[in-house]
Amino acid sequence: MNKFSLQQQVLKRLAEDLLQAEDAVRVAHETATHAENIAENKYDTLGLEAAYLATGQVRRAEAIRQAMAKWHQFRPRPYDASKGIQLGALVCLVDSDDKQQQLFLGPDGGSMQLGSGTQLVQVISMEAPLGMAMLGKCEGDDVSIQVAAIRQQFEVLRVH
């Protein structure tokens, strides 16, 4: 699996999300400012609700732009066993049922699932509970996280 290719897939998906968010901002703004949506009484709140929606969509678009900036600056490094798992690591975990999962540890804002050949790769940030639990671990180490009342256990199978 190529980390650069995964990074480009994340950037492409973020760009698509940004276009959708910008379209949503435009539609919500047009709805909020349309002449038919001027409040006729204190209970007529469609224009106000659309304005709140537009504000939320503007924030969402800005968050996507910030994530894109982080992902553009991101330079995944080769795995260094002396430091263990760090930002940019491509990790294969296996659970107690021998189910494997591929994880790509990247900057914030890129949480998504990507295809790499026939495999799925889950992109997570270091701020995610599993991302934090993996930091500094090496091949063969155990990783565990608490999800609600359930403790999930994994073994680090491979790191690239």
Side-chain angles (χ1 to χ4, degrees), residues 3 77-94 101-106 124-126 128-144 154-160:
K3 294 179 186 182
R77 294 186 187 106
Y79 172 64
D80 179 353
S82 68
K83 293 181 180 178
I85 296 171
Q86 299 294 316
L87 181 66
L90 186 57
V91 181
C92 179
L93 295 181
V94 62
Q101 60 179 316
Q102 302 289 330
L103 302 166
F104 183 42
L105 197 57
I124 64 172
S125 78
M126 292 190 316
L130 186 54
M132 287 189 284
M134 289 191 306
L135 287 178
K137 301 287 186 178
C138 297
E139 291 179 358
D141 287 350
D142 289 331
V143 176
S144 66
F154 305 95
E155 180 185 342
V156 179
L157 202 57
R158 290 182 303 279
V159 185
H160 299 282

Side-chain angles (χ1 to χ4, degrees), residues 35-93:
E36 290 181 4
N37 293 331
I38 295 174
E40 295 175 5
N41 60 51
K42 66 181 182 178
Y43 302 108
D44 191 1
T45 60
L46 182 60
L48 181 61
E49 291 168 9
Y52 284 136
L53 181 60
T55 301
Q57 294 294 355
V58 166
R59 288 184 185 136
R60 179 173 169 253
E62 183 55 33
I64 294 169
R65 280 188 201 93
Q66 289 176 5
M68 287 178 75
K70 289 176 186 176
W71 276 90
H72 274 294
Q73 295 172 357
F74 175 53
R75 300 291 177 258
R77 294 186 187 106
Y79 172 64
D80 179 353
S82 68
K83 293 181 180 178
I85 296 171
Q86 299 294 316
L87 181 66
L90 186 57
V91 181
C92 179
L93 295 181

